[in-house]
Each structure stands twice: as structure tokens, then as C-alpha cells.
């Protein structure tokens, strides 16, 4: 695997900017859900860094859960919308206040399917918190309660987001220069 400097076009959101914004969202969630039973559900794997930083900024008692979904068909940079649960929750969401924690919403199809599947389990409330929103790419309407940053239509990586499963560990959000990123055989 190559060093990311070879294909990093620029740093879109720095570690410090992420920290400041996530602290604001954590404070807002703490106010909005005060006195309520809150369950954060992280969508693996991209949401994992965001969840771990966000939960440290939430000052009210809450539980966490994980689920993983995979989308059917076409490549790994674009989703078809049909998603399948590959790792389900271990706890019931019935009658609980659920907040879905996502890394990025692009077409919106993945999160829309997750919402549809979870609604059948009758949570008391079900809201979405996404770090990044590629708003101009939206194909289906998704109600988003908390957004970290609205970003342009560029392929980004780092802070949980991958390029072909690597580079999730980087502490910032970078933009890929696709001309310099060539998949090794
Ligand atoms: P959607 O179903 O089109 O909204 O796609 C959402 C999923 O696509 C995210 O959870 C990511 O896994 C992936 N994705 C979309 N854009 C990017 C990106 O710029 N970098 C890395 N992954 C992305
Ligand atoms: Mg993802």
C-alpha cells in the first residue's frame, strides 16, 4: 500500500476543525436528548472514528451499538441502494431513542434503507447524525438531524473513510487526486 501523500490532493477538513465541530454536535445532542434514553448506532466501518470522538463529547448517559450493511452491485465507490445487513444489532431498539451515526451521506440510498429497516422495529424516535454530507449528490430524501460538514462532490478519505478499505486511520479528511490514485494489481 502506498503512502497517502502520493495521491492526497488537499486536506479538506483538518484534525482541529473536526474536533471543534464534533464538540459542538456532542453538546447539541446532550441538550436535545437530556433526560431521554439515548442509543447511538454506529454504521460500520466508516462511522467508527466519528462515533468514538462524538461519544466523548456527549455528556448525558447513552448506550452504543454497531451494525454493518453492504450494498449490492456496482463497484465500491458507488452504491445501488439495495442494502443488506451483514452485522445486526444485539439489542432491541423498540421504544428507544435511536441516533444513527454515519460517516458520509452521498446518494442517501444506504442510510435510507437502514432507516426503513429499523423503522419496522418501532423505535421511539430515529434520527440521523452524519459527519459529512455530499448534499449535491442526493438521490433520495434523507432527514438529517445533525450534520458535521456539507462537502463538495469529491472523493474523500481518512477519519474513518476508506479508499478500497485502507487509510481509515488518518486523523483528517483528505481529498483523493484520482489521477494519481491508481489501483495496484
Ligand atoms: P450512499 O448510499 O450513496 O449515500 O453512500 C454512502 C456510503 O458510500 C458511505 O457510507 C461510504 O461508505 C461511501 N462513500 C460515499 N462517498 C465516499 C467518499 O467520498 N469516500 C469514501 N467513501 C464514500
Ligand atoms: Mg460507510
Amino acid at each position: 500500500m502506498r503512502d497517502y501523500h502520493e495521491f492526497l490532493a488537499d486536506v479538506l477538513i483538518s484534525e482541529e476543525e473536526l474536533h471543534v465541530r464534533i464538540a459542538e454536535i456532542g453538546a447539541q445532542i446532550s441538550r436535545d436528548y437530556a433526560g431521554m434514553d439515548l442509543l447511538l448506532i454506529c454504521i460500520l466501518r466508516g462511522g467508527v472514528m466519528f462515533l468514538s470522538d462524538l461519544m466523548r463529547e456527549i455528556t448525558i448517559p447513552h448506550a452504543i451499538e454497531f451494525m454493518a450493511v453492504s450494498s449490492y452491485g456496482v463497484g465500491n465507490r458507488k452504491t445501488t441502494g439495495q442494502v443488506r445487513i451483514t452485522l445486526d444489532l444485539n439489542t432491541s431498539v423498540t421504544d428507544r431513542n435511536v441516533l444513527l451515526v454515519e460517516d458520509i451521506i452521498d446518494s442517501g440510498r444506504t442510510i435510507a434503507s437502514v432507516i426503513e429497516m429499523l423503522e419496522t422495529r418501532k423505535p421511539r424516535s430515529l434520527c440521523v447524525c452524519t459527519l459529512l454530507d455530499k448534499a449535491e449528490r442526493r438521490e433520495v430524501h434523507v432527514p438529517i438531524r445533525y450534520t458535521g460538514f456539507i462537502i463538495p462532490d469529491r472523493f474523500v478519505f481518512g477519519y474513518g473513510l476508506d479508499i478500497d478499505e485502507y487509510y481509515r486511520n488518518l486523523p483528517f479528511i483528505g481529498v483523493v487526486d484520482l489521477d494519481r490514485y491508481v489501483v495496484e494489481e
Side-chain angles (χ1 to χ4, degrees), residues 74-143:
V74 294
N76 47 14
R77 305 225 180 115
K78 203 176 181 323
T79 46
T80 49
Q82 278 306 311
V83 308
R84 170 171 69 87
I85 297 177
T86 55
L87 175 75
D88 207 341
L89 305 170
N90 274 316
T91 49
S92 167
V93 299
T94 307
D95 271 338
R96 305 182 73 182
N97 297 297
V98 173
L99 185 57
L100 288 171
V101 178
E102 253 286 35
D103 54 351
I104 186 165
I105 299 179
D106 185 12
S107 71
R109 293 185 185 280
T110 305
I111 197 76
S113 301
V114 170
I115 291 170
E116 199 178 290
M117 290 186 287
L118 290 180
E119 286 287 8
T120 65
R121 303 181 191 180
K122 304 278 176 241
R124 181 176 301 263
S125 64
L126 180 57
C127 293
V128 175
C129 175
T130 188
L131 179 66
L132 306 176
D133 180 3
K134 276 189 193 171
E136 67 191 76
R137 301 224 339 141
R138 197 62 30 80
E139 291 169 19
V140 292
H141 174 72
V142 179

Side-chain angles (χ1 to χ4, degrees), residues 43-47 102-104 110 160-162 168:
I43 317 276
L44 293 174
R45 293 178 284 273
E102 253 286 35
D103 54 351
I104 186 165
T110 305
L161 292 111
D162 69 304
R168 295 187 194 272

Side-chain angles (χ1 to χ4, degrees), residues 2-184:
R2 288 172 313 141
D3 187 279
Y4 70 85
H5 290 97
E6 292 176 29
F7 48 79
L8 175 69
D10 43 40
V11 173
L12 186 65
I13 308 168
S14 70
E15 191 171 358
E16 180 57 20
E17 289 169 317
L18 286 167
H19 176 75
V20 168
R21 184 70 188 118
I22 292 167
E24 287 171 359
I25 297 173
Q28 188 65 53
I29 291 171
S30 306
R31 286 193 291 272
D32 293 347
Y33 287 89
M36 296 161 77
D37 172 45
L38 173 62
L39 174 66
L40 302 180
I41 298 181
C42 174
I43 317 276
L44 293 174
R45 293 178 284 273
V48 77
M49 277 233 199
F50 181 37
L51 173 84
S52 75
D53 283 340
L54 180 66
M55 63 190 287
R56 278 177 279 195
E57 302 291 347
I58 298 177
T59 54
I60 58 166
H62 62 276
I64 62 166
E65 258 289 358
F66 296 90
M67 74 187 282
V69 294
S70 81
S71 41
Y72 293 110
V74 294
N76 47 14
R77 305 225 180 115
K78 203 176 181 323
T79 46
T80 49
Q82 278 306 311
V83 308
R84 170 171 69 87
I85 297 177
T86 55
L87 175 75
D88 207 341
L89 305 170
N90 274 316
T91 49
S92 167
V93 299
T94 307
D95 271 338
R96 305 182 73 182
N97 297 297
V98 173
L99 185 57
L100 288 171
V101 178
E102 253 286 35
D103 54 351
I104 186 165
I105 299 179
D106 185 12
S107 71
R109 293 185 185 280
T110 305
I111 197 76
S113 301
V114 170
I115 291 170
E116 199 178 290
M117 290 186 287
L118 290 180
E119 286 287 8
T120 65
R121 303 181 191 180
K122 304 278 176 241
R124 181 176 301 263
S125 64
L126 180 57
C127 293
V128 175
C129 175
T130 188
L131 179 66
L132 306 176
D133 180 3
K134 276 189 193 171
E136 67 191 76
R137 301 224 339 141
R138 197 62 30 80
E139 291 169 19
V140 292
H141 174 72
V142 179
I144 306 175
R145 186 158 184 196
Y146 307 98
T147 304
F149 302 88
I150 293 176
I151 64 165
D153 180 15
R154 309 281 300 276
F155 197 81
V156 293
F157 69 112
Y159 199 77
L161 292 111
D162 69 304
I163 314 174
D164 301 332
E165 291 304 325
Y166 285 81
Y167 313 106
R168 295 187 194 272
N169 58 302
L170 302 175
F172 57 83
I173 302 281
V175 176
V176 184
D177 179 345
L178 288 170
D179 293 332
R180 284 189 286 152
Y181 181 78
V182 186
V183 181
E184 290 163 16

